[in-house]
Amino acid sequence: GRATQAIEYAETYDLTDEAYKNRLIGESKFLRAVSYFWLVRGWGDVTLQNVDDINRASREEVYAFIEQDLTEAMDALPASYNNANLGRATKGAAHGLLSKVYLYQEKWQEAYDAATAVINSSEYNYSLLDDYSMIWRVEGENSSESLFEIQARGESIAHGIQQYSQTQGARGTTGWGWGFNTPSENLLAAFNDEGDEIRRDATIMFRNTTLYDGYVLGNTENPMYNYKAYSSANKGADDTDKNLRYLRLGEIYLIQAEAANELGQTTEALTALNAIRDRVDLPAVTTTDQTELRKAIWKERRLELAFEHDRWFDLVRTGQGQEAMAADGRTFVVGKHELFPIPNQQLIDTPEMTQNPNW
């Protein structure tokens, strides 16, 4: 809603600098697309607020709206900013998110083309960091691998992301946090089964270990915590100084790999997949069987992107929800749990709105 208001305001405020006006509109359209991408994956049919506040647009209409916002944002946004404006949405961020939006709709050719364009672009000039663990340290903020991240200074003049590091921080006498969102034994086993020590140790903090900055994590209440949420400087402050990585080049490679495999372009799929594996010293995947390669790419997404906020949506879109939840002793009802329920307060505010199936 705020993004839509910002667009309308910029369009009607008589700004004399046309390039500046268009950039502001492009930024707002990117942020609106981000919001609707969360909404459509979580709730399916949702209202398009610039059209109707009560009647839910179809999933297809919402995705078309997201695609339009991102395409128009690409036309309006610069490829980069000076340091004073670092963190604003760029053309590459919109292009990369568009590839992901295509992926979720199984528009394989469009997803492949967009991801490939982002990877190969000399205008964007993105590159993978050599050291996977550096992505989540302060030195890795706004790095060459980052397409978009939410800025979080964590100072009173510019509040950080509220309680992000605090709620996921280690709990106990040597900890600083609440101990929420802890890694599962299933995830740990997945890392170990793959021999993936580099990403495991960059993703999971273990009790009774010394962290990368020398902090000694003693006998905490839980055996494991989310390392990607750890802030060395800020730790348990209410407003973390840690930028939230929203979209990075590592995922774009995996989008390229998945789309290429679905298109039958095995060589391209393996090249993209193995670029990600090579960084963390894992052997190359060599299978040319489409089904086996598909599963390998899905597994790679889990290990590469653990705790980057998309695991649930990956499980739903790939039809793995029921199996994955059962492995964790939980129930996934097909035909219900693919979507979240419309909140009760929303139904009270707009009783004409329909509830999602079986809720």
Side-chain angles (χ1 to χ4, degrees):
R2 288 180 177 177
T4 299
Q5 289 174 354
I7 293 166
E8 293 171 352
Y9 189 79
E11 288 175 337
T12 59
Y13 190 65
D14 295 328
L15 291 171
T16 57
D17 187 334
E18 195 72 13
Y20 177 59
K21 180 186 80 172
N22 290 338
R23 195 203 81 193
L24 293 178
I25 293 171
E27 289 182 68
S28 299
K29 287 184 175 181
F30 173 81
L31 294 173
R32 185 166 67 180
V34 168
S35 299
Y36 270 113
F37 191 40
W38 283 109
L39 286 166
V40 74
R41 290 183 298 169
W43 288 270
D45 301 350
V46 294
T47 60
L48 294 175
Q49 291 183 330
N50 64 328
V51 177
D52 192 317
D53 286 335
I54 297 175
N55 294 305
R56 298 165 66 184
S58 70
R59 177 180 179 273
E60 291 74 21
E61 290 175 299
V62 177
Y63 269 117
F65 188 67
I66 295 170
E67 290 178 17
Q68 178 179 331
D69 265 353
L70 291 175
T71 301
E72 293 176 358
M74 286 172 59
D75 292 337
L77 293 173
S80 62
Y81 290 93
N82 58 27
N83 288 336
N85 287 284
L86 197 63
R88 293 184 181 273
T90 63
K91 181 179 180 179
H95 206 168
L97 183 57
L98 185 60
S99 74
K100 187 170 179 175
V101 168
Y102 286 143
L103 180 82
Y104 270 76
Q105 299 174 84
E106 298 185 353
K107 293 183 175 181
W108 303 121
Q109 188 64 59
E110 291 92 333
Y112 176 79
D113 290 344
T116 302
V118 170
I119 292 168
N120 294 339
S121 173
S122 58
E123 181 184 18
Y124 306 151
N125 200 29
Y126 297 123
S127 61
L128 297 174
L129 293 184
D130 292 334
D131 184 345
Y132 179 85
S133 67
M134 293 301 295
I135 298 171
W136 291 275
R137 301 183 189 180
V138 66
E139 299 92 336
E141 292 189 341
N142 302 306
S143 72
S144 64
E145 184 161 342
S146 177
L147 274 68
F148 188 73
E149 53 192 75
I150 300 166
Q151 308 297 300
R153 280 184 60 177
E155 302 170 7
S156 59
I157 192 173
H159 287 299
I161 301 173
Q162 188 177 35
Q163 297 184 301
Y164 182 75
S165 294
Q166 183 185 67
T167 54
Q168 298 179 80
R171 183 183 182 96
T173 55
T174 65
W176 57 88
W178 298 7
F180 291 178
N181 198 30
T182 54
S184 65
E185 290 291 340
N186 188 281
L187 175 62
L188 176 61
F191 279 119
N192 290 337
D193 290 346
E194 194 67 17
D196 192 355
E197 296 181 3
I198 292 176
R199 288 187 298 200
R200 179 197 67 193
D201 294 344
T203 302
I204 301 174
M205 287 187 292
F206 295 94
R207 64 157 62 122
N208 296 318
T209 59
T210 301
L211 305 184
Y212 73 82
D213 57 1
Y215 185 85
V216 178
L217 189 62
N219 190 25
T220 53
E221 290 188 16
N222 298 315
M224 298 180 288
Y225 297 92
N226 178 10
Y227 213 162
K228 291 181 180 179
Y230 175 67
S231 167
S232 178
N234 200 283
K235 286 191 171 62
D238 287 344
D239 288 310
T240 183
D241 66 331
K242 187 183 188 74
N243 285 5
L244 177 58
R245 280 62 163 174
Y246 175 74
L247 185 64
R248 59 185 180 84
L249 190 63
E251 181 171 12
I252 304 301
Y253 271 96
L254 292 176
I255 291 171
Q256 184 190 44
E258 185 170 348
N261 184 55
E262 297 302 329
L263 293 168
Q265 299 175 14
T266 307
T267 301
E268 291 83 352
L270 287 171
T271 299
L273 174 61
N274 288 326
I276 297 301
R277 292 178 63 81
D278 182 65
R279 171 167 63 175
V280 291
D281 298 339
L282 291 177
V285 173
T286 59
T287 181
T288 57
D289 179 84
Q290 187 182 52
T291 301
E292 291 181 3
L293 185 51
R294 180 184 297 124
K295 291 179 179 178
I297 293 167
W298 289 351
K299 180 175 65 174
E300 203 69 27
R301 284 188 63 87
R302 183 186 190 188
L303 301 179
E304 174 74 16
L305 304 172
F307 288 99
E308 295 182 50
H309 315 293
D310 274 334
R311 173 65 173 161
W312 176 259
F313 300 116
D314 263 351
L315 291 174
V316 170
R317 76 173 178 87
T318 58
Q320 299 177 89
Q322 190 172 54
E323 180 183 358
M325 291 300 101
D328 200 40
R330 300 174 185 274
T331 300
F332 183 100
V333 178
V334 175
K336 177 180 180 179
H337 288 138
E338 292 88 350
L339 298 174
F340 303 143
I342 301 298
N344 189 56
Q345 186 60 51
Q346 179 68 59
L347 295 176
I348 292 173
D349 293 341
T350 53
E352 305 94 332
M353 187 175 290
T354 55
Q355 180 56 280
N356 274 332
N358 298 314
W359 284 102

